[in-house]
């Protein structure tokens, strides 16, 4: 069973919406008042099955290949119903007052289904096939397919490739679909629909399958109203030529429109009225821009959590190397939406603490009644900038922007026999801020202005880290008014779909905003960080452009894991 926490407020009057934010580990539901955006109640429910990145625990427990990250689709539905019902009850709002439902999901999380929407992993014949499960956003098993797609697109001069910075991540939907065809052809042949989870969820809720304009542009390669051609797809693999025609051929739903009405099954589960409008799904990071009212050109939103996504509306479409996509209306109508990101931020901090911090630190934190994160942050904050003598690269789960290379790995240089855990921890924190600065500078150096920075996500609770970001990026940081900015943003889109506000800018102005907590850059600290940043940029170029050291180590690891599993090397067993 999933686990759940609930918070609520006294009953309020007026129209409200339900917002659902499907994260990496859980789903959060909020009930939001449409007049002013106040969250009346929220609830969170964790998925029952942990991420499957080592073994297929939901199946036969087989060892998974490197770079896999899978989930159980049914967990999403169970947690959605639990969190929604709890939030609605806690809000004390009548079902008649909840006029719309909106949702967002982690970007490029993909599921394969039959024609009725049943996930293929729920069928007995595919229960032990890893490719039948949800491929989470951080599933990088399709790196080979992504490389081939890019190589062929460059050779053919495909016009859509520059919209993705000239390179594609293995996280995108198309590489994952090609991976399924080539690694599990029987499964692919039986599959009727390949869908982003956000579209699958609105399909479940309404009975209508329509593709969100957001994930269609950013993750399904829809540009200027067309997908990559059958000729191009067939050149990748003859059996892939008709993938859009046969497995991804449904209408596009613009953001802020209703896909359909809530089906009776889910209306009863949530405690809402049947037929309540359900908004087109959205990418988790992108809805944060609505929550912090940053839907106008030049307003950069950073969503800082396990990973970080940076989204930016702009007036013009400009080719920017290394972006994760630029889509007309992808964030707000009438602007071009740019997406960039960092694949490991909070994840890297958690990895470090889990694997590299001595027991004595945990004992000290427990004796002081604080978290291990708080202890390390305090010890790190006592240092002068540069005192640790370290610089790290924030590539512990690859580089999403601007290098778009999931095979790059983390690095920390400068360690000695007197290096301490708090030194390493601070270097990791700094590396993520350095990575953010690279992304901002990449936008501006290619003619896409960044006029202000607003931040949301779980990491904004860490004041030490936020001040570090302000100092390193030399930018004033405005912070979200709620820690539930994802679900809050989805509730804003629900208000538009329900007709409570005429468009997203009006809804974001009425319902969104930032807190009074603002971080101003400290010039003396910024000067010291500049010196470390120069070293970071040198390492960034050294290992990220042309050097094969990290790739070679990844290949050696993959080869060793294959030997241990008695699997043939690529090419030895013929084409799958």
């Amino acid at each position: 069973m999933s686990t759940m926490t609930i918070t609520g407020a006294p009953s309020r009057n007026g129209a409200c919406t339900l917002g659902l934010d499907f994260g990496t580990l859980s789903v959060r539901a909020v009930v939001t008042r449409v007049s002013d955006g106040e969250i009346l109640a929220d609830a969170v429910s964790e998925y029952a099955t942990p991420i499957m990145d080592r073994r297929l625990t939901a199946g036969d427990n087989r060892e998974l290949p490197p770079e896999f990250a899978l989930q159980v689709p049914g967990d999403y539905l169970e947690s959605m119903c639990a969190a929604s019902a709890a939030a609605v009850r806690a809000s004390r709002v009548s079902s008649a007052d909840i006029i719309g439902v909106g949702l967002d999901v982690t970007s490029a999380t993909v599921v394969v289904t039959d024609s009725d929407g049943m996930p293929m992993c729920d069928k007995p014949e595919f229960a032990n096939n890893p490719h039948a499960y949800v491929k989470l956003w951080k599933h990088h098993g399709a790196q080979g397919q992504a490389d081939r797609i890019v190589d062929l697109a460059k050779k053919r001069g495909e016009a859509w490739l520059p919209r993705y910075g000239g390179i594609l991540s293995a996280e995108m939907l198309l590489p994952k679909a090609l991976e399924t065809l080539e690694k599990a052809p029987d499964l692919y042949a039986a599959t009727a629909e390949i869908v982003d989870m956000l579209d699958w969820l609105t399909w479940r809720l309404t009975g209508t399958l329509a593709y969100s304009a957001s994930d269609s542009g950013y993750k399904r390669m829809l540009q200027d109203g067309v997908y990559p051609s059958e000729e191009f797809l067939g050149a990748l693999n003859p059996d892939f030529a008709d993938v859009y025609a046969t497995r991804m051929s449904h209408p596009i739903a613009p953001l802020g429109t209703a896909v359909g009405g809530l089906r009776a099954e889910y209306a009863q589960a949530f405690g809402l009225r049947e037929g309540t409008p359900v908004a087109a799904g959205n990418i988790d990071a992108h809805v944060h821009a609505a929550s912090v009212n940053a839907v106008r050109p030049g307003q950069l939103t950073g969503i800082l959590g396990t990973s970080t996504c940076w989204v930016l509306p702009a007036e013009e479409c400009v080719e920017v190397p290394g972006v994760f996509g630029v889509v007309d209306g992808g964030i707000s109508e009438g602007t071009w939406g740019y997406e960039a990101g960092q694949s490991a931020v909070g994840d890297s901090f958690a990895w470090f603490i889990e694997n590299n911090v001595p027991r004595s630190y945990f004992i000290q934190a427990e004796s002081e009644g604080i978290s291990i994160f708080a202890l390390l942050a305090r010890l790190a904050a006592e240092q002068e900038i540069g005192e640790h003598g370290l610089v790290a690269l924030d590539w512990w789960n690859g580089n999403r922007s601007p290098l778009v290379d999931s095979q790059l790995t983390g690095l920390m240089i400068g360690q000695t026999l007197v290096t301490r855990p708090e030194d390493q921890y601070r270097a990791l924190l700094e590396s993520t801020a350095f990575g953010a600065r690279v992304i901002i500078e990449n936008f501006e150096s290619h003619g896409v202005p960044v006029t202000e920075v607003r931040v949301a996500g779980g990491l904004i609770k860490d004041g030490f880290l936020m001040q570090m970001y302000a100092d390193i990026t030399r930018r004033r940081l405005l912070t979200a008014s709620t820690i539930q900015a994802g679900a809050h943003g989805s509730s804003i889109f629900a208000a538009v779909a329900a007709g409570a506000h005429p468009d997203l800018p009006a809804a974001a102005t009425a319902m969104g905003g930032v807190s009074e907590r603002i971080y101003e850059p400290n010039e003396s600290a910024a000067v010291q960080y500049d010196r470390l940043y120069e070293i970071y940029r040198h390492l960034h170029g050294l290992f990220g452009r042309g050097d094969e050291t990290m790739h070679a180590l990844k290949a050696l690891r993959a080869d060793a894991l294959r030997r241990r599993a008695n699997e043939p090397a690529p090419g030895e067993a013929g084409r799958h």
Side-chain angles (χ1 to χ4, degrees):
M1 295 291 293
S2 61
T3 58
M4 185 166 61
T5 57
I6 309 166
T7 59
S11 178
R12 307 290 211 288
N13 295 320
C16 298
T17 53
L18 174 67
L20 298 168
D21 173 36
F22 291 83
T24 302
L25 303 176
S26 63
V27 58
R28 183 176 295 277
V30 302
V31 175
T32 306
R33 192 162 55 202
V34 302
S35 61
D36 59 5
E38 182 173 354
I39 294 176
L40 305 184
D42 73 281
V44 60
S45 177
E46 296 180 0
Y47 306 137
T49 310
I51 295 171
M52 296 180 288
D53 54 7
R54 295 184 180 274
R55 291 189 173 276
L56 191 66
T57 55
D60 57 7
N61 205 39
R62 70 178 62 187
E63 188 170 356
L64 294 171
E67 312 298 337
F68 270 49
L70 309 177
Q71 289 183 312
V72 176
D75 290 351
Y76 282 63
L77 300 180
E78 178 185 347
S79 290
M80 172 183 69
C81 291
S84 297
V88 170
R89 286 196 303 270
S91 73
R92 302 180 187 177
V93 172
S94 72
S95 60
D97 285 336
I98 298 180
I99 61 173
V101 178
L103 64 85
D104 64 86
V105 183
T106 54
S107 179
T109 293
V110 179
V111 62
V112 291
T113 78
D114 65 12
S115 59
D116 295 322
M118 175 184 286
M120 301 303 285
C121 61
D122 289 347
K123 297 178 179 291
E125 62 268 34
F126 296 117
N128 296 321
N129 189 321
H131 297 277
Y133 288 80
V134 172
K135 291 182 177 178
L136 190 59
W137 62 270
K138 61 181 179 178
H139 173 90
H140 290 155
Q143 185 62 54
Q145 284 76 18
D147 292 342
R148 284 168 45 213
I149 291 170
V150 171
D151 289 344
L152 182 62
K154 287 180 177 178
K155 290 177 182 177
R156 291 171 52 93
E158 295 288 334
W160 49 264
L161 186 62
R163 297 279 181 88
Y164 301 93
I167 192 167
L168 297 184
S169 167
E171 296 174 12
M172 306 288 257
L173 185 147
L174 198 63
K176 288 173 176 172
L178 183 57
E179 177 195 24
T180 301
L181 165 63
E182 296 182 339
K183 299 298 184 181
D186 292 346
L187 168 66
Y188 182 87
T191 293
E193 304 288 349
I194 303 173
V195 291
D196 192 291
M197 278 298 287
L198 61 88
D199 294 325
W200 181 70
L201 287 165
T202 57
W203 185 12
R204 296 295 83 204
L205 290 176
T206 67
T208 299
L209 176 54
Y211 302 143
S212 163
S214 181
D215 75 274
S216 296
Y218 289 103
K219 310 304 172 184
R220 198 183 284 109
M221 325 309 294
L222 181 71
Q223 290 290 346
D224 299 325
V226 296
Y227 295 112
S229 68
E230 289 196 5
E231 181 184 3
F232 170 79
L233 298 167
L236 289 168
N237 186 312
D239 295 329
F240 202 55
D242 64 353
V243 64
Y244 286 106
T246 60
R247 293 169 176 84
M248 293 189 283
S249 62
H250 294 272
I252 305 299
L255 295 179
T257 63
V259 170
L262 194 63
R263 294 166 56 199
E265 172 189 355
Y266 291 104
Q268 181 177 2
F270 292 3
L272 302 183
R273 293 179 301 170
E274 182 178 355
T276 300
V278 177
N282 210 331
I283 295 171
D284 59 340
H286 294 197
V287 296
H288 286 71
S291 179
V292 299
N293 191 19
V295 297
R296 296 162 185 83
Q299 295 180 304
L300 178 68
T301 301
I303 304 88
L304 284 65
T306 54
S307 63
T308 290
C309 189
W310 297 93
V311 294
L312 176 65
E315 292 180 350
E316 298 179 352
C317 178
V318 178
E319 294 181 6
V320 179
V323 297
F324 229 49
V326 52
V327 174
D328 188 6
I331 298 171
S332 60
E333 188 176 356
T335 68
W336 288 88
Y338 291 78
E339 178 186 340
Q342 296 165 267
S343 294
V345 180
D347 265 356
S348 67
F349 309 154
W351 162 83
F352 174 76
I353 286 175
E354 182 178 347
N355 294 282
N356 298 279
V357 177
R359 177 61 184 160
S360 60
Y361 281 72
F362 288 89
I363 294 173
Q364 180 180 348
E366 185 177 355
S367 69
E368 296 184 19
I370 59 176
S371 71
I372 186 65
F373 289 95
L375 174 63
L376 287 171
R378 190 189 74 204
L379 295 174
E382 293 171 357
Q383 301 178 8
E384 291 292 325
I385 296 170
E387 181 180 336
H388 52 39
L390 304 173
V391 172
L393 291 175
D394 53 321
W395 301 346
W396 304 92
N397 195 31
N399 178 280
R400 186 180 296 171
S401 299
L403 301 174
V404 197
D405 187 346
S406 66
Q407 299 304 296
L408 293 175
T409 55
L411 174 74
M412 188 175 294
I413 192 169
Q415 299 183 91
T416 71
L417 294 178
V418 297
T419 299
R420 301 165 299 174
E422 56 264 39
D423 302 333
Q424 298 166 311
Y425 184 69
R426 178 165 184 147
L428 284 175
L429 298 181
E430 292 169 348
S431 74
T432 65
F434 292 147
R437 180 169 169 175
V438 169
I439 288 170
I440 292 171
E441 291 179 351
N442 188 53
F443 277 130
E444 294 205 317
S445 67
H446 290 90
V448 182
V450 176
T451 58
E452 67 174 13
V453 180
R454 302 190 177 200
V455 291
L459 293 182
I460 68 171
K461 294 181 292 184
D462 188 336
F464 172 59
L465 179 63
M466 291 301 94
Q467 186 60 53
M468 180 184 291
Y469 268 65
D471 295 340
I472 286 176
T473 63
R474 291 177 168 272
R475 299 280 179 157
R476 183 173 186 250
L477 299 187
L478 288 77
T479 59
S481 59
T482 173
I483 204 66
Q484 294 96 28
H488 183 238
S490 283
S491 68
I492 293 174
F493 278 94
V496 179
H501 294 288
D503 53 33
L504 180 61
T509 298
M511 300 175 68
V514 293
S515 74
E516 296 179 356
R517 188 68 183 270
I518 297 172
Y519 295 89
E520 300 284 355
N522 179 293
E523 178 60 22
S524 62
V527 169
Q528 297 303 316
Y529 278 127
D530 283 346
R531 299 170 64 188
L532 287 175
Y533 182 61
E534 288 180 11
I535 299 171
Y536 175 92
R537 286 306 304 256
H538 173 71
L539 295 172
H540 191 282
L542 185 65
F543 288 97
R545 301 290 187 187
D547 186 276
E548 293 297 317
T549 301
M550 293 179 176
H551 293 168
L553 289 171
K554 269 288 188 78
L556 286 172
R557 177 178 183 271
D559 184 56
L561 290 172
R562 279 193 296 267
R563 293 199 307 272
R564 188 172 70 174
N566 295 315
E567 293 180 357
E572 291 182 2
R575 187 166 187 167
H576 292 281

